[in-house]
Amino acid sequence: GKLPIAYAESTTLHMLGLLHVKFAPVWPAAVRVIVALSHAQEGPVWPCIEVALTKSMQRPLHNIATPKDSTGIIDISSKKAAENTIIYDHHVRCFSWEASRGKNHGIFTSSDKERNGQVSRHVEADDLTRFESVWSIMENAPHLTSTKSKVVVPMFFNFMLSQYYIFH
């Protein structure tokens, strides 16, 4: 049978929320539940997936405080400078990795390293992991890719633009 629409939406949102939890065994199961729901209830499930896909495509700038001038208005030039700093840092890391021929593991330092095999319950999965998990929904649900191609294809091209054209 089918779940009521409210349950399908809330279950989908809960499973998408589980993709934020830093506990890898949960991710494939959450993706399978979302895919199963999308087969049975595409209508109410798709908007939730679409929002998650859109959010996963955005650059992670949440760690940067939005600079404001003395009047409290957002300083656009400082915000652009902060974005450019992130891009520059990423660029430097890429060159460092290539120069070391894959031997420089120091560029993968993390502030949330495990301590004695324990990870704090307040630690979230990183942006790349969430990105991969959300897009694995589309990999496992080809019917969504074909029926929602008018939305998915532009998202994919925006991804290609932001990931590969950014340094050129």
Side-chain angles (χ1 to χ4, degrees):
K2 288 187 176 183
L3 282 175
I5 291 173
Y7 291 167
E9 288 175 349
S10 62
T11 303
T12 302
L13 291 171
H14 181 72
M15 293 299 122
L16 288 168
L18 286 176
L19 298 179
H20 289 258
V21 176
K22 191 166 185 161
F23 186 62
V26 171
W27 303 330
V31 168
R32 282 194 307 271
V33 169
I34 295 169
V35 170
L37 283 169
S38 73
H39 280 291
Q41 300 254 357
E42 185 177 321
V45 170
W46 171 248
C48 304
I49 296 171
E50 182 180 8
V51 168
L53 290 169
T54 303
K55 284 184 179 179
S56 75
M57 299 296 287
Q58 296 171 351
R59 279 195 230 146
L61 296 175
H62 61 279
N63 293 331
I64 298 174
T66 305
K68 297 182 180 179
D69 63 12
S70 59
T71 62
I73 297 173
I74 294 174
D75 184 2
I76 301 296
S77 62
S78 296
K79 186 172 182 180
K80 284 290 184 194
E83 289 176 6
N84 289 337
T85 301
I86 288 176
I87 292 168
Y88 176 76
D89 181 50
H90 178 77
H91 194 83
V92 167
R93 287 175 183 240
C94 289
F95 279 123
S96 173
W97 175 258
E98 288 179 18
S100 72
R101 296 183 181 210
K103 295 178 183 173
N104 181 2
H105 296 287
I107 64 171
F108 297 111
T109 58
S110 175
S111 61
D112 56 26
K113 288 184 179 179
E114 294 182 16
R115 294 186 184 133
N116 298 328
Q118 299 291 319
V119 177
S120 169
R121 66 178 146 198
H122 304 292
V123 176
E124 291 186 14
D126 60 287
D127 294 322
L128 180 60
T129 301
R130 282 196 303 266
F131 173 81
E132 290 173 351
S133 297
V134 170
W135 279 93
S136 71
I137 295 168
M138 298 307 287
E139 290 175 18
N140 292 305
H143 70 282
L144 285 178
T145 307
S146 61
T147 59
K148 305 299 182 186
S149 62
K150 286 184 181 179
V151 175
V152 175
V153 170
M155 273 188 211
F156 178 73
F157 284 131
N158 284 335
F159 165 75
M160 297 295 282
L161 179 69
S162 69
Q163 293 296 314
Y164 298 105
Y165 188 70
I166 198 165
F167 297 123
H168 304 292

